[in-house]
């Protein structure tokens, strides 16, 4: 066990519903879903937040987005539409400090994103 729940999930020392994994990332269901479909795309490496990303991570970031797109297709929400969110820092609503992209779908997303939260 580490002090990072997502590192523990990636190491399979903590439980999660794993939807997909490859060399660079893992996709799990959110333990507290805010939409009928709520997945989290996690890089395998521990990167605390987007603030810790550099140009060396360009390929990884592209891979995370392409994975999110592929998961939307796999889960059948591509045509209807979906939302990706990447909370950064405490003030940005981030609560788990291991970089992750939220994939939310399966309902009509509220368009007042900025005033009412991500879903
Ligand atoms: P954040 O607020 O940092 O952008 O998002 C963290 C997300 O991780 C939250 O939506 C929360 O529900 C989810 N989460 C926190 N702990 C766990 C866990 O142990 N397992 C899973 N699957 N999701 C978690
Ligand atoms: Zn971590």
């Amino acid at each position: 066990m580490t002090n990072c729940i997502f590192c523990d999930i990636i190491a399979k020392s903590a439980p999660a519903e794993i939807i997909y994994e490859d060399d660079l990332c893992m996709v799990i269901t959110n333990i507290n879903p805010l939409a009928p479909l709520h997945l989290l795309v996690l890089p395998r490496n521990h990167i605390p937040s987007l603030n810790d990303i550099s140009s060396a991570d360009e390929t990884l970031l592209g891979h995370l987005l392409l994975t999110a797109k592929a998961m939307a297709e796999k889960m059948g929400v591509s045509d209807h539409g979906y939302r990706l969110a990447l909370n950064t820092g405490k003030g940005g609503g981030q609560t788990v400090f291991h970089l992750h992209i939220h994939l939310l779908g399966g309902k009509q997303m509220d368009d007042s994103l900025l005033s009412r939260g991500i879903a």
Side-chain angles (χ1 to χ4, degrees):
M1 299 289 272
T2 68
N3 60 1
C4 173
I5 182 62
F6 288 173
C7 280
D8 289 345
I9 287 171
I10 287 159
K12 300 190 175 160
S13 54
E17 186 183 359
I18 299 168
I19 302 296
Y20 172 80
E21 59 183 320
D22 63 25
D23 289 351
L24 293 177
C25 72
M26 178 181 277
V27 181
I28 62 172
T29 59
N30 196 313
I31 203 167
N32 182 23
L34 299 177
L37 176 69
H38 190 167
L39 303 183
L40 300 169
V41 183
L42 324 171
R44 277 194 185 278
N45 290 342
H46 182 84
I47 301 168
S49 85
L50 198 66
N51 285 340
D52 302 290
I53 287 282
S54 72
S55 56
D57 300 307
E58 207 169 312
T59 301
L60 174 64
L61 284 183
H63 183 76
L64 297 178
L65 280 176
L66 286 169
T67 300
K69 178 205 167 197
M71 291 304 107
E73 282 169 9
K74 176 181 164 120
M75 304 308 276
V77 300
S78 291
D79 289 345
H80 180 263
Y82 55 93
R83 174 170 292 164
L84 302 183
L86 204 173
N87 298 329
T88 302
K90 201 169 174 223
Q94 187 175 4
T95 58
V96 177
F97 285 81
H98 179 128
L99 184 74
H100 52 279
I101 299 174
H102 296 256
L103 165 56
L104 298 131
K107 70 171 194 176
Q108 178 58 51
M109 290 296 154
D110 190 335
D111 61 5
S112 55
L113 168 66
L114 295 179
S115 60
R116 299 186 39 196
I118 64 167

